[in-house]
């Protein structure tokens, strides 16, 4: 087993201090403002440190995982207005929550977020725990979100490593030759742990994330505008084509050329709009109108039915009979009706 120091590259010892200084100065000039960074949801501590609202942070982080930043900027304040604190979210009905999640995609995230909120209320009396370990033990909270809440809300001196941050560390301290190249996680973590400035973990990570999102982007790093170009081992790659290569992503399960998650979102959206249970057959017919898609082959129809059963298994929709009663968990057929939870 390596000690963390043994994993630090030589370049780290040569340039880490300047990297810290240059990046923080750049962030003071160019840092972006977002609702989740807003001062009004922050509390000044006696020692001068700023404590950010952990509830707003966790909601923002869960939204940002799979939704564009610009959409989250628009939706987060509305969501926080509808569910202003962890108790309000914990006590909401699933249906109200799924409706409020409209436009965000990946609706099951809303239910996972609520599970975490219920655990905060049930196990901690509505006060968020502060350590990464306790946060990661909440249902539906992964290691990244746990570290983000511990650091951004409570100022914990822990590395917060998302895909942008991993890319920037990799390029800075190692010579990278392609857009998708990042170092093994243990190497990045070793560097990241050493880089977090004492007492300034929150600002440091916001700066790293801004740099990764706006300058050191995945496909077209703008080294000529980068505040770290003089320290970076991958700056101004001579072989620019390599940096322009698209990182081969794992293909998503698809239906008629579109990712299945998009079709799942459309089923939920249809039920949001109709405000009443719909027969599965009708949903399939509305999603795939015969004028556009012809008769769906049996295999595809079965695939759509299975997708709808998956939404039921995930708790996003429910099987229903007239009057709203449940008929069974999953296993619906085309004649059955489904609805959003109440
Ligand atoms: S110099 Fe280029 S590769 Fe290096 S961190 Fe800046 S943008 Fe990224």
């Amino acid at each position: 087993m390596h000690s963390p120091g043994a994993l630090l590259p030589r370049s780290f010892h040569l340039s880490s201090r300047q990297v810290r200084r240059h990046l923080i100065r750049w962030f003071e000039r160019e840092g972006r403002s977002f609702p989740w960074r807003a001062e009004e949801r922050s509390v000044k501590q006696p020692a001068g440190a700023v404590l950010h609202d952990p509830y707003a942070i966790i909601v923002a982080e869960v939204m940002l995982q799979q939704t564009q930043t610009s959409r989250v900027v628009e939706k987060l304040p509305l969501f926080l207005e509808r569910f202003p604190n962890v108790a309000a979210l914990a006590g909401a009905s699933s249906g109200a929550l799924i409706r409020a999640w409209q436009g965000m995609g990946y609706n099951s995230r809303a239910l996972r977020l609520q599970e975490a909120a219920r655990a905060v209320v049930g196990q901690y009396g509505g006060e968020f725990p502060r350590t990464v370990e306790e946060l990661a033990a909440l249902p539906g909270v992964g290691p990244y979100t746990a570290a983000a809440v511990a650091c951004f809300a409570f100022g914990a001196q822990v590395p917060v490593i998302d895909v942008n941050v991993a890319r920037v560390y990799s390029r800075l301290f190692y010579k990278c030759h392609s857009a998708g190249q990042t170092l093994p996680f243990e190497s990045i973590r070793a560097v990241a742990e050493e880089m977090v400035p004492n007492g300034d973990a929150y600002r440091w990570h916001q700066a790293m994330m801004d740099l990764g999102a706006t300058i050191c982007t995945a496909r077209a790093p703008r080294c000529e505008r980068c505040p770290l170009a003089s320290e970076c081992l991958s700056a101004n790659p001579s072989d620019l084509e390599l940096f322009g290569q698209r990182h081969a992503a794992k293909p998503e399960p698809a239906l008629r050329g579109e990712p299945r998650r998009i079709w799942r979102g459309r089923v939920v959206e249809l039920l949001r709009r109709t405000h009443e249970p719909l027969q599965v057959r009708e949903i399939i017919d509305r999603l795939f109108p015969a004028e556009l898609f012809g008769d769906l082959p049996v295999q595809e129809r079965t695939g759509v039915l299975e997708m709808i059963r998956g939404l039921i298994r995930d708790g996003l929709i429910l099987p229903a009979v007239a009057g709203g009663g449940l008929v069974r968990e999953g296993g619906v057929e085309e004649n059955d009706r489904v609805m959003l939870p109440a």
Side-chain angles (χ1 to χ4, degrees):
M1 173 121 177
H2 299 289
S3 72
L7 290 168
L8 292 174
R10 186 163 168 271
S11 56
F12 174 87
H13 300 291
L14 293 174
S15 62
S16 57
R17 286 176 64 183
Q18 294 93 303
V19 165
R20 256 193 223 109
R21 207 171 56 238
H22 291 166
L23 184 63
I24 289 290
R25 274 197 201 145
W26 171 82
F27 183 68
E28 281 167 356
R29 286 193 318 271
E30 314 267 340
R32 300 176 296 173
S33 36
F34 290 124
W36 53 95
R37 291 180 183 170
E39 290 295 315
E40 62 265 26
R41 288 197 80 95
S42 310
V43 184
K44 288 254 184 322
Q45 298 297 284
V50 175
L51 181 77
H52 289 85
D53 178 358
Y55 172 64
I57 297 286
I58 198 168
V59 175
E61 287 300 331
V62 169
M63 286 182 167
L64 287 164
Q65 277 161 21
Q66 281 147 323
T67 304
Q68 281 181 333
T69 306
S70 56
R71 178 65 62 92
V72 178
V73 166
E74 178 195 329
K75 291 283 178 181
L76 180 70
L78 301 175
F79 190 89
L80 294 178
E81 207 176 299
R82 178 77 179 77
F83 307 110
N85 51 49
V86 69
L89 179 59
S93 71
S94 313
L97 186 54
I98 292 168
R99 286 185 180 86
W101 203 258
Q102 183 172 24
M104 300 292 301
Y106 290 105
N107 292 284
S108 49
R109 281 180 298 165
L111 299 184
R112 288 207 308 274
L113 186 59
Q114 186 179 45
E115 279 179 43
R118 286 181 173 161
V120 170
V121 170
Q123 295 170 26
Y124 296 97
E127 295 288 326
F128 273 83
R130 292 180 169 229
T131 67
V132 175
E133 293 72 24
E134 288 168 315
L135 287 159
L138 295 172
V141 175
Y144 167 79
T145 307
V149 175
C151 178
F152 303 166
F154 303 120
Q157 287 289 122
V158 292
V160 184
I161 306 169
D162 69 359
V163 63
N164 280 348
V165 170
R167 182 176 63 249
V168 175
Y169 278 133
S170 297
R171 288 176 179 174
L172 263 175
F173 295 118
Y174 301 86
K175 178 78 184 155
C176 288
H177 298 280
S178 73
Q181 189 176 350
T182 51
L183 269 290
F185 188 75
E186 313 87 74
S187 303
I188 291 172
R189 190 174 171 88
V191 168
E193 277 176 349
E194 295 296 318
M195 281 305 290
V196 180
N198 231 340
D200 207 4
Y202 174 78
R203 200 163 55 137
W204 172 254
H205 286 105
Q206 303 306 312
M208 282 291 283
M209 286 172 183
D210 276 10
L211 190 84
T214 63
I215 302 279
C216 193
T217 60
R219 296 184 57 203
R222 297 152 71 199
C223 303
E224 73 290 351
R225 299 199 49 189
C226 181
L228 309 182
S230 53
E231 288 86 31
C232 177
L233 279 195
S234 307
N236 302 309
S238 52
D239 192 346
L240 283 170
E241 288 147 9
L242 281 179
F243 253 124
Q245 264 178 16
R246 190 183 258 288
H247 185 45
K250 209 170 138 207
E252 284 188 69
L255 249 174
R256 288 287 171 131
E258 288 190 274
R260 197 164 54 199
R261 67 186 157 82
I262 303 274
W263 292 106
R264 279 171 54 102
R266 284 177 185 155
V267 174
V268 173
E269 188 53 33
L270 197 56
L271 289 165
R272 258 192 210 114
R273 275 193 274 121
T274 53
H275 301 290
E276 58 181 19
L278 284 178
Q279 207 173 32
V280 170
R281 171 169 298 115
E282 194 181 344
I283 292 178
I284 298 177
D285 291 344
R286 288 213 213 171
L287 288 181
F288 300 94
E291 316 81 76
L292 288 179
F293 293 92
D295 283 339
L296 278 193
V298 175
Q299 207 183 354
E300 273 190 351
R301 232 178 149 84
T302 310
V304 179
L305 184 59
E306 196 39 53
M307 178 184 79
I308 291 173
R309 289 173 180 155
L311 286 166
I312 294 172
R313 284 195 294 276
D314 293 345
L316 289 163
I317 64 175
L318 298 172
V321 293
L326 305 187
V327 286
R328 54 185 171 270
E329 290 285 316
V332 288
E333 299 296 340
E334 289 203 17
N335 283 336
D336 289 321
R337 296 193 312 152
V338 294
M339 62 187 192
L340 281 192

